[in-house]
């Protein structure tokens, strides 16, 4: 009896020591001719029986030396991007000690499945999750710390990445001790750097009107959101890069936006303000799975907060215009939930409108309490949102909002 109790106590004491998040150790060489050669070790410390990773099929992968008790099955996968291999690791003896999985592979940096953004362009590199250039947790929700050394970068490339970024003679060292689902980086020629409250901004031309607007409204939006949610956990590194397809994305303390037209003082500030406010809002809204219905809690919530910023910065008429545009664009888009990841119009149009309607119903003070309570949650699901809504505004409001998400 006593022995059993002692063992149980020991297990409890040892447990937390192993409960570290996954860690990626990355050594990669980028050849300017367009090849990458990579050695990635993923250390898993949480006891699991199975864990799956995705890696693009454009890479040739060396046979893996697996730790004792670990087996792997490999097969093709076409979701969430085409032309992937899925590695499913099985652990015979989970939760005893950390296990290291080592991937060694080489192949082209560029891929035809690049979401409209070539990873290697004449001005340098832009890499993120969509390029599937490192083993990505198959749930697209696996958050990890990282220690990455990348060499083969020309000295004139300016590197923007998360965490501690140290330029070396031939490359960069990235040490990130906070969690994210991605290992994103920009390494481009001619980027200039500016700092403001909440944002560290990189652009080829800081004097361009659009760059100035991005900086001004990143700062003002950060202050507006901080008044609600508390301090930004980390300054956001924001890179404005030239590309053919206009798009933006946000990771923890990191955002990439499109350079676009330089613009001039006669242009409306509302567009650039809305865009960066949306990206800054992701500092609080990025914790729902991108593969599920719940993804509205990332994009619709960030868009709703950006609409709130537009109203704050430009007045109710600008918000009314934005609401009218969204209504027009979403007449026949179908339900936000009930069919897996919502589409673009459901995420950026209908979802935010439902949040505006909810605010109209329950009032702004209750809406703010709801959003603040939700932003504090470590993971975002619709069930958690509805639970807070029930507590704050009652079961009827929650039931009707749930119905609206499915209507
Ligand atoms: Zn977004």
């Amino acid at each position: 009896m006593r022995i059993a109790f002692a063992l149980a106590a020991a297990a409890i004491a040892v447990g937390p020591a192993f409960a570290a998040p996954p860690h990626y150790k990355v050594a990669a060489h980028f050849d300017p001719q367009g090849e990458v050669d990579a050695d990635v070790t993923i250390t898993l410390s949480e006891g699991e029986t199975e864990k799956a990773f995705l890696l693009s099929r454009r890479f040739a992968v060396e046979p893996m030396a697996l730790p004792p008790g670990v087996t792997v099955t490999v097969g093709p996968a076409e979701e969430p991007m085409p032309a992937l291999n899925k590695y499913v690791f099985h652990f015979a003896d989970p939760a005893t000690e950390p296990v290291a999985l080592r991937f060694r592979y080489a192949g082209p940096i560029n891929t035809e499945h690049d979401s409209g953004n070539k990873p290697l362009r004449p001005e340098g590199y832009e890499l993120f999750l969509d390029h599937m250039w490192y083993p990505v947790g198959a749930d697209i929700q696996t958050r990890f710390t990282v220690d990455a050394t990348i060499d083969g970068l020309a000295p004139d490339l300016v590197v923007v990445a998360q965490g501690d970024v140290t330029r070396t003679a031939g490359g960069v060292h990235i040490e990130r001790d906070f969690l994210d689902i991605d290992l994103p980086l920009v390494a481009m020629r001619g980027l200039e750097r500016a700092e403001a409250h909440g944002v560290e901004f990189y652009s080829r031309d800081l004097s361009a009107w659009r760059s100035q607007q991005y900086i001004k409204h990143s700062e003002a939006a950060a202050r507006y959101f901080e008044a609600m949610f508390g301090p930004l956990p980390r300054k956001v590194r924001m890179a404005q890069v030239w590309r053919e397809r206009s798009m933006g994305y946000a990771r923890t303390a990191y955002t990439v936006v499109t350079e676009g037209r330089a613009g001039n003082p006669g242009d409306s500030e509302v567009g650039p303000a809305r865009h960066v406010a949306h990206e800054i809002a992701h500092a609080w809204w990025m914790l729902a799975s991108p593969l599920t219905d719940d993804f509205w809690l990332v994009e619709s919530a960030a868009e709703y907060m950006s609409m709130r910023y537009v109203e704050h910065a430009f007045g109710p008429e600008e918000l009314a215009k934005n609401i009218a545009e969204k209504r027009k664009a979403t007449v026949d888009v179908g339900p936000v939930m009930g069919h897996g990841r919502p589409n673009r119009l459901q995420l950026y149009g209908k979802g935010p409108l439902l949040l505006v309607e909810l605010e109209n119903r329950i009032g702004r003070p209750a809406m703010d309490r709801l959003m603040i309570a939700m932003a504090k949650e470590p993971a975002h699901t619709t069930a958690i949102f509805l639970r807070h809504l029930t507590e704050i505004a009652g079961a009827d409001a929650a039931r009707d909002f749930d119905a609206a998400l499915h209507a």
Side-chain angles (χ1 to χ4, degrees):
M1 193 64 196
R2 178 171 288 181
I3 290 167
F5 181 77
L7 285 175
I12 289 161
V14 166
F18 289 124
H23 179 73
Y24 279 50
K25 174 95 178 159
V26 176
H29 176 79
F30 287 10
D31 185 310
Q33 302 308 310
E35 296 283 311
V36 57
D37 196 316
D39 184 343
V40 177
T41 299
I42 303 168
T43 304
L44 300 173
S45 303
E46 297 257 341
E48 297 182 79
T49 53
E50 190 180 295
K51 182 75 190 166
F53 294 90
L54 300 167
L55 182 65
S56 170
R57 278 209 295 274
R58 70 188 185 276
F59 299 118
V61 182
E62 288 182 24
M64 297 177 81
L66 293 169
V70 179
T71 56
V72 65
T73 53
V74 187
E78 307 298 328
E79 291 288 333
M81 301 292 289
L84 305 171
N85 275 325
K86 185 173 187 176
Y87 293 77
V88 184
F89 295 91
H90 306 272
F91 308 104
D93 190 16
T96 51
E97 54 187 287
V99 57
L101 307 171
R102 187 175 180 192
F103 291 79
R104 299 168 81 178
Y105 55 95
I109 291 170
N110 275 339
T111 162
E112 59 182 300
H113 310 292
D114 59 12
S115 301
N117 297 284
K118 270 201 190 332
L120 176 55
R121 314 201 276 269
E123 56 278 7
Y125 301 89
E126 176 186 2
L127 282 157
F128 61 108
L129 189 144
D130 290 28
H131 301 129
M132 293 284 172
W133 67 286
Y134 63 92
V136 173
D139 56 0
I140 319 292
Q141 273 202 104
T142 300
R143 303 201 304 149
F144 55 92
T145 55
V146 63
D147 178 348
T149 303
I150 296 167
D151 62 34
L153 299 177
D156 58 342
L157 296 172
V158 177
V159 179
V160 186
Q162 299 165 299
D164 293 331
V165 179
T166 313
R167 202 68 167 83
T168 58
V172 68
H173 181 222
I174 299 167
E175 180 104 50
R176 188 187 74 203
D177 63 5
F178 56 87
L179 297 173
D180 203 348
I181 59 164
D182 198 357
L183 172 50
L185 81 122
V186 160
M188 288 195 182
R189 285 178 189 88
L191 292 179
E192 302 169 356
R193 177 178 176 279
E195 268 202 77
H197 176 78
V199 69
E200 187 182 313
F201 190 84
Y202 293 82
S203 145
R204 289 200 291 195
D205 180 6
L206 290 173
S207 70
W209 177 85
R210 185 171 302 273
S211 301
Q212 293 288 318
Q213 294 303 316
Y214 281 166
I215 296 168
K216 173 182 164 181
H217 290 289
S218 291
E219 172 168 6
R223 289 193 195 281
Y224 175 69
F225 297 145
E226 284 178 327
M228 244 177 116
F229 300 121
L232 253 185
R234 289 174 190 84
K235 195 168 258 212
V236 176
R237 288 203 183 114
M238 188 178 291
Q240 187 188 19
V241 302
W242 189 91
R243 16 165 137 97
E244 281 167 26
R245 189 187 155 198
S246 181
M247 58 132 20
Y249 54 89
R251 303 286 183 258
T252 307
Y254 180 89
T255 292
V256 183
V257 294
T258 304
E259 185 177 295
R261 212 167 45 81
N264 63 66
D267 294 343
S268 165
E269 292 186 20
V270 177
R274 239 175 71 191
H275 185 27
V276 290
H278 174 105
E279 302 301 349
I280 296 285
H282 277 309
W284 293 276
W285 303 98
M286 58 161 49
L287 295 175
S289 164
L291 302 182
T292 70
D293 286 27
D294 289 330
F295 197 53
W296 70 270
L297 278 161
V298 175
E299 294 305 343
S300 303
E303 184 64 14
Y304 166 75
M305 291 316 304
S306 124
M307 293 163 79
R308 290 282 300 269
Y309 173 70
V310 165
E311 184 192 32
H312 165 79
F314 303 102
E317 314 76 42
E318 282 300 338
L319 175 63
K321 267 196 239 170
N322 183 280
I323 288 173
E325 278 165 26
K326 282 186 166 61
R327 288 228 166 95
K328 207 171 145 198
T330 58
V331 175
D332 292 317
V333 298
V336 173
M337 290 189 69
H339 51 81
R341 178 182 161 123
N343 68 26
R344 216 181 144 70
L345 280 170
Q346 291 156 357
L347 288 172
Y348 299 95
K350 188 165 179 178
L353 284 179
L354 293 179
L355 289 168
V356 169
E357 283 156 23
L358 180 63
E359 182 195 322
N360 291 341
R361 170 172 175 163
I362 68 177
R364 180 157 293 184
M367 191 67 186
D368 285 1
R369 286 203 301 281
L370 172 63
M371 297 306 271
I372 291 164
M374 194 64 198
K376 287 185 183 140
E377 291 287 350
H380 288 183
T381 66
T382 305
I384 294 170
F385 186 88
L386 293 174
R387 199 187 72 218
H388 283 295
L389 179 54
T390 303
E391 281 164 17
I392 286 165
D396 285 358
R399 189 200 55 230
D400 293 350
F401 184 71
D402 190 26
L405 285 170
H406 290 86

